[in-house]
Amino acid sequence: MRQELAAYCSSVRRSDDCAGQVIRVLKELDAYDNTIIMFLSDHGMPFPFAKPAMYYLSTHTPLMVRWYGVTSSGAADDHHVLGTVDLFPTLAEMLSQEW
């Protein structure tokens, strides 16, 4: 269990590092404020009371969106349910708006 947890934490760290590199490059290219950034993940490792059951940890997964001028830093929505099936129409609507 310790090895699995360590590997999971390592993958989270690598993901964070990669996201940071993408943001760094967007800023270097002066494209950061003209780019919609979305990060989402699955339920992670099948730890007890997580992925394989309908507990709190199995129904809450990360979704982070940065859309310059629209989203607010640190804002959180704890009231709406989202499924990945919602992402395509949402992205299509986002991209149809004028920048």
Side-chain angles (χ1 to χ4, degrees):
M1 184 68 182
R2 283 183 176 190
Q3 288 177 337
E4 285 188 36
L5 184 56
Y8 178 73
C9 289
S10 176
S11 70
V12 171
R13 174 58 192 260
R14 286 191 314 273
S15 178
D16 186 58
D17 290 345
C18 289
Q21 290 285 26
V22 169
I23 290 170
R24 182 184 58 77
V25 169
L26 287 170
K27 288 179 177 181
E28 287 175 4
L29 297 174
D30 200 29
Y32 184 64
D33 290 337
N34 296 322
T35 303
I36 297 169
I37 300 171
M38 298 181 81
F39 176 85
L40 63 147
S41 181
D42 70 356
H43 303 294
M45 296 289 292
F47 294 128
F49 301 101
K51 192 175 194 171
M54 291 301 294
Y55 294 104
Y56 179 86
L57 294 175
S58 64
T59 60
H60 290 73
T61 58
L63 170 65
M64 293 177 271
V65 178
R66 183 195 184 270
W67 185 5
Y68 180 76
V70 177
T71 58
S72 300
S73 179
D77 182 343
D78 295 329
H79 302 291
H80 294 93
V81 175
L82 176 88
T84 54
V85 70
D86 299 314
L87 291 180
F88 179 75
T90 301
L91 286 169
E93 182 179 339
M94 292 165 85
L95 295 173
S96 71
Q97 297 183 18
E98 286 190 36
W99 288 62

